[in-house]
Amino acid sequence: MHYRAIFISDLHLGTPGCQAEALLDFLKEHTSDYLYLVGDIIDGWQLRRRWYWPQAHNDVIQKLLRKARKGTRVIYVPGNHDEFARHFLDHNFGGIEVLEETVHQTADGRKLWVIHGDYFDAVVQQAKWLAYVGDYLYEFTLKLNRYLNNMRGRLGLPYWSLSAYLKHKVKKALNYVTDFENAVAQEAAKHGYQGVVCGHIHRAEIRDVNGILYCNDGDWVESRSALVESETGELSLLFWETEPVMVSNPELVNVVGT
């Protein structure tokens, strides 16, 4: 499949939770004129604590560089987990542009503000130590989730996300997501954009927020999702299973957030 634009974020390369093999399959099967890497591509927080870098993670980086060499415009907007890349804003590495933020104009003329989204996370901005604690707990949950799903697989049961289950059971977490979405959309409106594309909270979604098109491309830790734009400007969420599952303008996509 060829798309006009593909947006992916929150790969978290450098962690055991990154589904690098699935991402490689996705990148091999899909091409685009534009490829936006919307933050948290490499998890510097985890790598500082413990080095983890298998061959598949290196293959993902090589694949992204190869796409840039073959003519895809690849734009990298760093997030909080790869904030080290913000020291190299407005530089070009192997054809990959590093920008703090950017604007994507769809085929039908809409201007979408592309940001990671961590600047709208009060925990990250005002209590970074708490963000580190949350990151550690999230990693522990993912590890437990892998063990549970290994057991479920042996019993012939489908994949189940413990993180998503816990999140949707905690009212404060849902309020946090809603506050985040509203804040991002409000800021996009203030700048005169018709929509916003972000990542950060690992919750893939497309919805209208007070007249602003809010798009979150999800993550490649659990949901394995991407936001894609067709040649005519239609935006959809694509979930990579054994076969891709397309969701256009969903009211709610039930995936994990952090």
Side-chain angles (χ1 to χ4, degrees):
M1 291 292 293
H2 181 82
Y3 294 99
R4 187 169 183 271
I6 295 175
F7 304 80
I8 56 175
S9 74
D10 299 272
L11 313 185
H12 291 277
L13 294 167
T15 70
C18 172
Q19 298 200 35
E21 290 82 3
L23 178 58
L24 279 170
D25 289 340
F26 172 82
L27 293 172
K28 289 173 183 175
E29 294 294 330
H30 298 84
T31 59
S32 59
D33 300 325
Y34 300 88
L35 174 59
Y36 292 91
L37 309 174
V38 196
D40 287 0
I41 304 305
I42 298 173
D43 197 320
W45 291 11
Q46 291 288 332
L47 287 173
R48 281 197 295 268
R49 290 200 291 264
R50 179 173 65 92
W51 184 259
Y52 179 84
W53 196 265
Q55 183 59 43
H57 292 207
N58 197 56
D59 292 341
V60 169
I61 298 296
Q62 292 299 322
K63 186 65 176 176
L64 295 173
L65 289 168
R66 195 174 300 118
K67 282 185 175 290
R69 287 197 303 270
K70 290 187 175 181
T72 300
R73 187 180 178 191
V74 183
I75 299 172
Y76 174 24
V77 177
N80 52 305
H81 283 259
D82 50 10
E83 58 191 348
F84 59 85
R86 288 174 173 160
H87 295 294
F88 305 100
L89 296 176
D90 301 318
H91 285 67
N92 184 304
F93 295 96
I96 298 178
E97 304 169 53
V98 184
L99 302 173
E100 185 170 14
E101 60 183 61
T102 190
V103 177
H104 174 76
Q105 184 163 327
T106 61
D108 53 10
R110 291 173 292 174
K111 290 185 177 180
L112 306 179
W113 187 29
V114 184
I115 55 170
H116 178 64
D118 57 299
Y119 290 137
F120 297 91
D121 187 332
V123 174
V124 171
Q125 295 303 315
Q126 299 178 24
K128 199 164 187 176
W129 65 271
L130 188 57
Y132 284 128
V133 172
D135 182 58
Y136 178 82
L137 293 174
Y138 178 62
E139 235 359 83
F140 173 77
T141 303
L142 288 177
K143 187 175 182 179
L144 180 59
N145 193 67
R146 287 195 294 273
Y147 285 123
L148 288 173
N149 278 289
N150 281 337
M151 294 178 62
R152 288 174 64 86
R154 292 171 186 170
L155 295 172
L157 298 172
Y159 178 84
W160 177 75
S161 172
L162 173 63
S163 300
Y165 173 79
L166 292 175
K167 176 183 173 184
H168 285 280
K169 288 295 182 182
V170 180
K171 185 178 179 181
K172 285 186 178 180
L174 291 174
N175 289 339
Y176 160 78
V177 169
T178 301
D179 291 345
F180 173 85
E181 293 174 349
N182 289 338
V184 172
Q186 183 178 358
E187 191 67 18
K190 189 184 300 183
H191 289 287
Y193 301 121
Q194 286 75 53
V196 60
V197 178
C198 61
H200 187 58
I201 60 171
H202 294 207
R203 182 187 175 100
E205 190 168 15
I206 300 175
R207 73 182 183 96
D208 182 276
V209 178
N210 299 320
I212 297 296
L213 181 64
Y214 169 85
C215 304
N216 195 301
D217 56 26
D219 71 285
W220 283 85
V221 176
E222 290 200 78
S223 65
R224 299 192 293 193
S225 56
L227 177 74
V228 297
E229 180 199 359
S230 71
E231 295 292 349
T232 58
E234 180 185 0
L235 294 166
S236 305
L237 287 170
L238 191 153
F239 294 84
W240 186 252
E241 302 296 337
T242 51
E243 294 292 338
V245 178
M246 185 76 75
V247 181
S248 299
N249 299 325
E251 291 294 324
L252 175 66
V253 180
N254 182 16
V255 294
V256 66
T258 183

